[in-house]
Amino acid sequence: MGFFSKITAGLKKTRDSITNAVNSMLSAFTRIDEELFEELEEILIMSDIGVVTAKKICDELRARVKEEKVTDPSVIKGMLAETVRKMVDGDRELKMTTHPSVIFVIGVNGVGKTTTIGKIASQLKASGKKVILGAADTFRAAAIDQLAVWSDRAGVDMVKSAEGADPASVVFDTVAAAKARNSDVIIIDTAGRLHNKKNLMNELAKMYRILKRELPESDIETLLVLDATTGQNAVNQARDFKEVAEITGIVLTKLDGTARGGVVLAIMDELNIPVKFIGVGEQIDDLQPFDPDAFAKGIFSEEA
Ligand code: GDP
Ligand code: MG
């Protein structure tokens, strides 16, 4: 499957849900009026775009309709796609100019951190980078084993410690190994237990301090992984993590299994954090850099 078709396939459920709802709503109107905008706003909110962002989109469309003096409801869809396209614009390259650079991966349990790390490692390796993984989710032995499976699959090194070891010490060891082995990119996997939020946040802060101390000159990307199937919950998680970490980007996983892809808009617009990657499946190549055009088309195009 090609790059674009993979994204559109990953967004199929979201597209089906939004496009169908918008189409059938528009077909019920003969001209654009306030009732149309109210129904549109409702559809957008139902699509996990978020109340604030849905309202903002509709306000922009109202203004455009007035300014351009259009009356035909069928023009709304094109305008909607353009507005969304603008909202998700921006730079989303990983900043990795230093040697080594670091990708620090955080997020609650089960969102797809370890899987995403495997996928990113594989892509970086394919682009010629020497990658090393740090298994700093020491909470369960199974978590360490799972990262080991991905390091084998991706064909990259990994540093680990015993279950229950201090995660910060794993970070320290990984940095030391990266220096000794001349690695280009360090990727740190972390635990995400929620029942113990304060401890979790303290632990993340400690790991981050070690990275800063040992690699003061290095670029550090802090990627927050969110599960798209959780909808507005994902937005709330982003809000929580934003308070304690300098998040540089979001990875939104499991878009293949959900109609809630609209959550991309809520995250970018309400929280102002760029979505840098989207996960569209469980396989090693099921991670795509977030592409604004493909996203806008993937949500609104009829075909595919
Ligand atoms: P972690 O606890 O955050 O490290 O999450 P894991 O990486 O262990 O992933 C939890 C589950 O989500 C696993 O079964 C993964 O295969 C699955 N998963 C991760 N990313 C995706 C994705 O993009 N699409 C789908 N369908 N499943 C995913
Ligand atoms: Mg994990």
Side-chain angles (χ1 to χ4, degrees), residues 87-160:
M87 266 185 168
V88 296
D89 215 0
D91 175 32
R92 43 190 51 84
E93 287 282 301
L94 291 180
K95 186 159 180 267
M96 295 195 303
T97 59
T98 59
H99 178 87
S101 295
V102 181
I103 305 176
F104 186 48
V105 181
I106 62 177
V108 307
N109 250 351
V111 289
K113 291 181 297 299
T114 305
T115 308
T116 298
I117 288 169
K119 294 169 177 175
I120 293 178
S122 163
Q123 290 185 6
L124 289 173
K125 186 175 179 192
S127 74
K129 302 263 191 210
K130 191 163 194 270
V131 179
I132 190 163
L133 310 182
D137 178 358
T138 59
F139 195 57
R140 291 173 304 124
I144 301 169
D145 296 342
Q146 191 196 353
L147 189 69
V149 169
W150 278 108
S151 89
D152 281 345
R153 266 183 212 153
V156 302
D157 290 349
M158 165 171 143
V159 171
K160 64 174 179 177

Side-chain angles (χ1 to χ4, degrees), residues 74-274:
S74 68
V75 302
I76 289 287
K77 234 180 110 183
M79 286 185 174
L80 192 55
E82 281 168 35
T83 302
V84 164
R85 168 70 185 79
K86 266 187 286 162
M87 266 185 168
V88 296
D89 215 0
D91 175 32
R92 43 190 51 84
E93 287 282 301
L94 291 180
K95 186 159 180 267
M96 295 195 303
T97 59
T98 59
H99 178 87
S101 295
V102 181
I103 305 176
F104 186 48
V105 181
I106 62 177
V108 307
N109 250 351
V111 289
K113 291 181 297 299
T114 305
T115 308
T116 298
I117 288 169
K119 294 169 177 175
I120 293 178
S122 163
Q123 290 185 6
L124 289 173
K125 186 175 179 192
S127 74
K129 302 263 191 210
K130 191 163 194 270
V131 179
I132 190 163
L133 310 182
D137 178 358
T138 59
F139 195 57
R140 291 173 304 124
I144 301 169
D145 296 342
Q146 191 196 353
L147 189 69
V149 169
W150 278 108
S151 89
D152 281 345
R153 266 183 212 153
V156 302
D157 290 349
M158 165 171 143
V159 171
K160 64 174 179 177
S161 189
E163 178 182 350
D166 177 8
S169 75
V170 178
V171 171
F172 183 88
D173 291 347
T174 309
V175 171
K179 286 177 179 169
R181 298 178 205 179
N182 202 23
S183 308
D184 298 305
V185 185
I186 298 166
I187 311 181
I188 304 290
D189 193 13
T190 63
R193 285 125 38 226
L194 241 201
H195 61 260
N196 196 340
K197 198 152 113 190
K198 189 151 184 288
N199 272 6
L200 169 62
M201 297 308 175
N202 285 342
E203 194 173 281
L204 292 177
K206 190 171 161 197
M207 286 187 258
Y208 193 78
R209 276 200 304 276
I210 301 278
L211 287 170
K212 280 294 211 194
R213 191 187 73 202
E214 296 303 311
L215 296 165
E217 308 294 327
S218 282
D219 289 334
I220 303 177
E221 279 277 351
T222 300
L223 295 184
L224 174 66
V225 181
L226 299 171
D227 175 345
T229 65
T230 63
Q232 289 304 302
N233 237 338
V235 183
N236 293 335
Q237 284 167 22
R239 216 171 263 130
D240 283 349
F241 276 93
K242 199 183 171 188
E243 276 174 31
V244 292
E246 277 176 58
I247 303 165
T248 58
I250 302 252
V251 181
L252 195 64
T253 61
K254 310 188 197 181
L255 273 170
D256 51 305
T258 182
R260 307 182 116 173
V263 77
V264 167
L265 289 163
I267 291 166
M268 292 216 207
D269 185 57
E270 279 182 51
L271 298 166
N272 206 17
I273 311 171

